[in-house]
Amino acid sequence: AGAASRSRSPSPAPARSPGPGSARRRSRRLSQRGLASPDSGAEASGRRRDFCGDITSSPELRRAIRGAHCVFHAASYGMSGREMLDRAQTRAVNVGGTEHVLRCCREEGCRALVYTSSYNVAFGGQVVDQGTEKMGYYPLAEHVDEYSRTKAEAEQMVLRAADAASGVRTVALRAAAIYGEGEQRHFPRIIGLMRAGLYLFTIGPPENQCDWVHVDNLVHAHMLAAAALVAPAPDTAAVPCVCHESVIGPTFFRPFLAHFSPVFSRFFA
């Protein structure tokens, strides 16, 4: 959970998509504090100060939030890989950690919380055509993984926490698949499969489309959300965060496939 301190409130950014790195360069102009796990390797730099602790219980979270205008809650667990098997830890971080963040925000007087959610909260394998934030949640009992279920529970918790009386304002950004500098969940795994010659098929009809969002655009969306929350009359809502246009899955990866696995790229021509 990162916190932008009270030395300066975020101001609205242009609505256009930022160029590479521009959103993150802009975010560095704010005084920042962040809570990082002990093994994250995060280090303080410039106007950023990192606290090392546990999002579910550590007093360091309260210290990081103290005095902040806005909190960006981006911590989660269990999305992919071996972590998916640890259902207890996934629930502890995604639900218990979010409860702790909300509690600290209320007690420390933080007025705005931007929650990094997932479009998994509304998607469970069904066909979604022209879906918007007005879609209902996918039934919790029907999710096949604990990550999607707990992200949905946490998002609903965050949106319910908006309280006009106390002045707490919240928004959830439902991120699609994320790519870009530093991403370690999707691309390294997929590129590894291409190099091994194992990227041989896709799931579902070939015309299936999916959304991807670049990390710079995701940062830009968070900055816009924060600016909207600290505005005089914000809306509390869940908002999808995707690229400008949906793409067919193999189309998105075709340049990488041609480079890393030219023998198999013809199957996706």
Side-chain angles (χ1 to χ4, degrees):
S5 82
R6 61 181 172 188
S7 63
R8 175 181 173 187
S9 297
S11 56
R16 63 180 178 84
S17 296
S22 64
R24 280 178 286 178
R25 287 194 297 272
R26 183 176 177 277
S27 70
R28 286 197 289 268
R29 294 203 295 267
L30 302 176
S31 178
Q32 303 170 47
R33 281 168 286 162
L35 183 75
S37 62
D39 59 350
S40 67
E43 298 179 356
S45 62
R47 300 185 65 186
R48 178 179 173 85
R49 181 184 178 192
D50 286 320
F51 297 81
C52 182
D54 184 347
I55 191 176
T56 64
S57 61
S58 173
E60 294 299 320
L61 176 61
R62 189 180 303 277
R63 290 180 56 199
I65 289 177
R66 186 166 296 147
H69 278 113
C70 180
V71 166
F72 300 92
H73 175 18
S76 66
Y77 188 88
M79 186 193 76
S80 63
R82 191 176 302 173
E83 293 179 359
M84 295 182 69
L85 302 178
D86 194 340
R87 296 166 62 91
Q89 181 69 356
T90 298
R91 178 160 292 275
V93 172
N94 297 349
V95 178
T98 299
E99 288 177 338
H100 193 211
V101 170
L102 289 170
R103 185 182 310 114
C104 290
C105 284
R106 286 191 293 265
E107 294 175 358
E108 295 299 329
C110 180
R111 57 184 293 199
L113 171 66
V114 179
Y115 176 61
T116 309
S117 187
S118 166
Y119 64 2
N120 287 21
V121 306
F123 175 71
Q126 79 281 23
V127 174
V128 177
D129 186 12
Q130 303 299 318
T132 71
E133 65 272 20
K134 298 185 184 300
M135 286 180 58
Y137 289 97
Y138 192 76
L140 292 178
E142 296 182 22
H143 278 295
V144 297
D145 63 288
E146 194 70 359
Y147 174 82
S148 299
R149 182 180 297 108
T150 54
K151 290 294 285 187
E153 292 180 41
E155 179 185 291
Q156 293 176 72
M157 189 189 312
V158 166
L159 298 183
R160 286 196 303 265
D163 184 356
S166 65
V168 176
R169 299 164 173 176
T170 64
V171 66
L173 298 180
R174 294 175 178 170
I178 303 164
Y179 73 104
E181 180 185 354
E183 189 275 313
Q184 295 296 319
R185 291 291 183 178
H186 298 296
F187 264 60
R189 173 170 51 88
I190 294 171
I191 296 301
L193 291 173
M194 291 179 181
R195 283 175 165 164
L198 298 176
Y199 194 88
L200 303 178
F201 61 88
T202 59
I203 298 174
E207 67 274 10
N208 273 355
Q209 294 183 328
C210 62
D211 290 303
W212 288 80
V213 60
H214 192 275
V215 61
D216 285 340
N217 295 88
L218 187 60
V219 171
H220 188 223
H222 279 68
M223 297 297 293
L224 291 174
L229 286 182
V230 299
D235 290 327
T236 298
V239 181
C241 185
V242 299
C243 59
H244 178 64
E245 294 181 353
S246 296
V247 295
I248 298 175
T251 301
F252 187 80
F253 288 107
R254 186 171 293 146
F256 304 95
L257 192 63
H259 179 76
F260 290 110
S261 187
V263 174
F264 297 98
S265 64
R266 67 178 185 271
F267 294 115
F268 302 95

